[in-house]
Amino acid sequence: MNQYQTYLPVIKALGDPTRLKILDMLSCGSLCACEILENIHITQSTLSYHMKMLTESGLVEAVKDGSWMRYSVNTSMTDKFIGYINGIVTESEDCICHIPTKRKELSK
């Protein structure tokens, strides 16, 4: 998988305001689905869809707690993703703009 494909699920997961709000809520600590639903006005099935997107992207971890599922931010993934974005927007010696063959691919 090339470097652009690696974080595509994260970028897609971040492309929705409800999922961003959920991440913001989880930044204060782990929450169960019922606590998330108290603060956003969506159905349980819609929340399940959003949590699936967030957990499959690696941004959120889900842990079974009795009959509940508790969700928390996966800081390891968020740190890696932030580093990846910083690498893209910061010029470096191995930057794609310094490699002639890759520059040709970009112009296609």
Side-chain angles (χ1 to χ4, degrees):
M1 187 180 308
N2 71 39
Q3 67 173 341
Y4 301 113
Q5 294 292 324
T6 302
Y7 291 101
L8 193 56
V10 174
I11 293 167
K12 287 180 179 181
L14 294 173
D16 181 271
T18 300
R19 290 191 288 273
L20 289 172
K21 185 174 183 178
I22 292 168
L23 272 178
D24 194 8
M25 291 169 58
L26 294 174
S27 71
C28 299
S30 71
L31 297 170
C32 70
C34 60
E35 294 168 316
I36 296 170
L37 284 171
E38 287 175 5
N39 293 292
I40 55 176
H41 302 290
I42 58 175
T43 65
Q44 172 65 47
S45 62
T46 301
L47 177 63
S48 293
Y49 169 77
H50 288 305
M51 298 317 295
K52 182 177 187 236
M53 294 284 294
L54 289 168
T55 55
E56 287 182 354
S57 74
L59 289 170
V60 170
E61 295 176 322
V63 176
K64 189 94 167 141
D65 182 15
S67 61
W68 300 100
M69 194 66 91
R70 294 201 65 78
Y71 299 98
S72 59
V73 173
N74 179 354
T75 55
S76 173
M77 175 56 92
T78 57
D79 290 346
K80 289 177 190 173
F81 179 68
I82 290 167
Y84 171 72
I85 293 298
N86 281 333
I88 286 179
V89 299
T90 305
E91 185 178 356
S92 63
E93 287 183 27
D94 65 343
C95 184
I96 196 167
C97 61
H98 294 295
I99 304 169
T101 57
K102 291 194 176 195
R103 194 175 313 134
K104 287 178 188 174
E105 290 175 16
L106 286 176
S107 65
K108 290 182 180 179

